[in-house]
Amino acid sequence: MTDVSATKDAVPATDELVVLKNVNKHFGALHVLQDIDLTIARGEVVVVIGPSGSGKSTLCRAINRLESIDSGSISLDGKPLPAEGRELARLRADVGMVFQSFNLFAHKTVLENVTLGQVKVRKKDKAAAEETARALLDRVGVANQADKYPAQLSGGQQQRVAIARALAMEPKVMLFDEPTSALDPEMINEVLEVMQQLARDGMTMVVVTHEMGFARSAANRVVFMADGQIVEETTPDQFFTNPRSDRAKDFLSKILHH
Amino acid sequence: MFDFLEGYDLLGAFWVTVQLTVFSGIGALVWGTILAAMRVSPVPLMRGFGAAYVNLVRNTPLTVIIVFTSLGLADIFSVTLGAGGDFETQNFRLAVLGLAAYTAAFVCEAVRSGINTVPVGQAEAARAIGLSFTQVLTNIVLPQAFRSVIGPLANVLIALTKNTTVAAAIGVGEAALLMKEMIETEAQLLLIAVIFALGFMLLTLPTGLVLGWFSKRLAVKR
């Protein structure tokens, strides 16, 4: 863990990749995101934790505009998020997203899942896309499943394919929306290991998770959310050993003593 | 017993029925899919048009639509669909147009219900890798939607096959027109009815069986 953070510290912290300013969002009467300010530097791994309904998934989904926001601004690599259309699609290609329920394309094989975006969005030719796809599938450890359909794979394998699918777009930042929450316990580690490796390789990551072990070992920063607000934002060590807010203390006491 | 059949082109009439079904079936499938895409599009104007079309067309009797193509489109607006004065061809094409326009409304609703069976996460994942609305629809949503509505689409196709008999109203020489002619001149009424009923079953039963098989084969496993 120490050598992980050592390599992380070498990354220049000034290079801002994702910037959220004063972001607000309502679901009807519910104010799910309240004046959110968050800056994510290139190469940084930010873990977002918090109780259910705190708005952490919404925050994650707002970054590639799967959720629209009511006010405020979100910019990626200096460019503000476009509202709709081609521009938005182009931007989304630069933001990798991994979902809780995997969402692999059910009618396509594993290999096709990973090549589709490369061919349709990046306009690569099929052979090159397949080569990249096979290399990525090998990297996440499911190379031998390339010709199967998603339903034939275990949850852990599906999620690793989903990571490969996102990586195939060569994204600037990867968003993980509770990537291990739908997994059987024994499959959680195989996914977390892939994510650890990604973090070590310097990928910028925003991870919404309940895996405190991952937060401790891989995160540069922990963002604690409750009731639509960022309550605390600090290093994992600080957060887990010495949380400042009562809300965080309460949350940690509930999850750590089992 | 079957002597009375001599002089009638039974096969030829059913061949016209098959042609009507195939051409208007293809037309309805294409137009119906476009309508379904309109009904789920983010553009309010398109959604409105799709909804208005479906509700207008599927609630209008087919006979009215078919007769309108002939008396309205052809006679008043001089739409001849390139038939160049050949009334037989003109009426056939008008019937195909009417049948396709009518059946498309049902295809649209079948496809739309298929779109609703595709989990929203599929489209989200597709958008997340940067696909445009059209790409999401054609690469991810529609292929899965179609697989789940092959059964209902078979119903629509079977109904279409039998609906082609309405084309007789504007003089298209298909099976029902021949039946009417035979009933007027021959005595074996019951036998004629049975022959034509069997003829239609011969067309529609395999449609249902084959598409039922495809429906199972192509089902998306989740």
Side-chain angles (χ1 to χ4, degrees):
Chain A
M1 181 206 144
T2 35
D3 55 277
V4 171
S5 41
T7 51
K8 287 287 160 196
D9 290 343
V11 175
T14 48
D15 195 359
E16 296 173 349
L17 189 57
V18 182
V19 181
L20 290 86
K21 273 201 191 104
N22 220 0
V23 171
N24 279 285
K25 159 122 191 133
H26 296 79
F27 281 132
L30 188 68
H31 199 169
V32 277
L33 295 179
Q34 304 179 17
D35 298 320
I36 300 289
D37 287 304
L38 183 66
T39 302
I40 294 145
R42 205 178 295 275
E44 195 181 20
V45 177
V46 174
V47 167
V48 184
I49 58 181
S52 309
S54 59
K56 49 193 196 308
S57 275
T58 312
L59 176 76
C60 188
R61 291 162 56 87
I63 295 176
N64 69 352
R65 217 175 181 289
L66 284 178
E67 298 286 352
S68 60
I69 55 173
D70 298 339
S71 66
S73 73
I74 300 176
S75 62
L76 182 87
D77 214 0
K79 286 190 283 284
L81 228 60
E84 266 305 331
R86 301 244 159 228
E87 280 294 301
L88 178 63
R90 205 166 301 142
L91 176 132
R92 278 188 182 131
D94 289 339
V95 181
M97 177 105 186
V98 176
F99 299 86
Q100 180 176 347
S101 46
F102 329 133
N103 295 349
L104 290 179
F105 307 132
H107 64 306
K108 292 191 176 290
T109 64
V110 163
L111 190 69
E112 288 166 343
N113 263 276
V114 186
T115 53
L116 182 75
Q118 299 184 66
V119 174
K120 299 285 176 187
V121 180
R122 298 292 192 216
K123 309 293 178 200
K124 279 200 207 173
D125 72 82
K126 208 166 167 247
E130 281 190 9
E131 198 180 325
T132 311
R134 288 193 192 277
L136 283 168
L137 289 173
D138 190 41
R139 186 169 154 195
V140 299
V142 285
N144 51 348
Q145 315 285 343
D147 298 318
K148 289 190 183 169
Y149 284 88
Q152 297 170 289
L153 269 56
S154 74
Q157 289 171 328
Q158 287 193 51
Q159 194 60 300
R160 286 184 281 152
V161 174
I163 294 174
R165 175 176 68 181
L167 288 176
M169 305 306 291
E170 293 164 14
K172 292 174 180 167
V173 52
M174 287 278 285
L175 309 173
F176 293 84
D177 186 6
E178 302 202 23
T180 57
S181 298
L183 293 175
D184 291 340
E186 75 266 31
M187 289 170 187
I188 290 176
N189 274 336
E190 63 189 53
V191 172
L192 288 181
E193 266 160 33
V194 170
M195 291 167 63
Q196 294 269 18
Q197 187 58 50
L198 263 184
R200 277 196 290 273
D201 293 346
M203 174 61 76
T204 311
M205 294 161 68
V206 178
V207 185
V208 175
T209 187
H210 295 292
E211 293 300 323
M212 299 305 148
F214 178 81
R216 270 179 194 271
S217 61
N220 299 111
R221 188 154 46 118
V222 168
V223 170
F224 176 72
M225 284 187 76
D227 307 320
Q229 288 168 322
I230 293 180
V231 179
E232 218 168 314
E233 205 181 329
T234 178
T235 62
D237 268 356
Q238 263 292 322
F239 181 76
F240 287 109
T241 54
N242 188 20
R244 277 167 297 150
S245 62
D246 291 341
R247 198 71 185 77
K249 281 177 196 160
D250 181 49
F251 177 74
L252 287 173
S253 73
K254 277 177 187 150
I255 58 161
L256 294 180
H257 299 295
H258 273 294
Chain B
M1 179 185 175
F2 290 101
D3 292 349
F4 71 94
L5 287 175
E6 235 162 87
Y8 293 108
D9 188 6
L10 206 58
L11 281 180
F14 269 107
W15 177 236
V16 175
T17 298
V18 170
Q19 284 177 307
L20 278 174
T21 308
V22 169
F23 288 128
S24 49
I26 293 169
L29 217 53
V30 172
W31 180 222
T33 306
I34 295 171
L35 283 170
M38 284 184 182
R39 294 206 69 174
V40 298
S41 95
V43 184
L45 192 71
M46 285 198 173
R47 280 205 305 274
F49 174 80
Y53 180 94
V54 166
N55 283 309
L56 184 74
V57 171
R58 76 170 167 187
N59 292 307
T60 308
L62 178 58
T63 317
V64 174
I65 292 175
I66 295 292
V67 169
F68 171 79
T69 60
S70 175
L71 300 183
L73 285 183
D75 294 355
I76 299 175
F77 300 110
S78 306
V79 177
T80 58
L81 299 175
D86 175 359
F87 279 109
E88 210 171 298
T89 312
Q90 180 184 315
N91 282 343
F92 176 83
R93 290 182 182 174
L94 287 170
V96 167
L97 179 72
L99 284 164
Y102 176 78
T103 312
F106 296 91
V107 170
C108 166
E109 290 307 276
V111 171
R112 195 163 68 102
S113 72
I115 289 174
N116 289 335
T117 68
V118 181
V120 64
Q122 295 283 309
E124 280 187 348
R127 280 152 69 203
I129 58 171
L131 297 181
S132 67
F133 173 79
T134 321
Q135 286 177 320
V136 173
L137 208 60
T138 54
N139 290 294
I140 305 301
V141 177
L142 283 179
Q144 294 187 48
F146 270 115
R147 287 163 197 236
S148 67
V149 293
I150 295 175
L153 282 178
N155 283 343
V156 172
L157 196 61
I158 287 169
L160 169 66
T161 310
K162 296 184 288 179
N163 282 344
T164 56
T165 52
V166 177
I170 57 170
V172 178
E174 46 70 70
L177 194 71
L178 182 66
M179 184 176 79
K180 188 164 165 265
E181 196 187 319
M182 287 169 76
I183 285 173
E184 279 164 5
T185 45
E186 303 296 334
Q188 291 85 341
L189 297 186
L190 195 65
L191 202 53
I192 291 170
V194 169
I195 286 171
F196 279 93
L198 281 177
F200 273 96
M201 275 187 177
L202 224 57
L203 294 180
T204 53
L205 272 177
T207 309
L209 289 174
V210 168
L211 288 179
W213 181 78
F214 271 116
S215 174
K216 282 205 194 82
R217 252 312 295 260
L218 297 176
V220 180
K221 290 170 191 68
R222 300 196 189 280

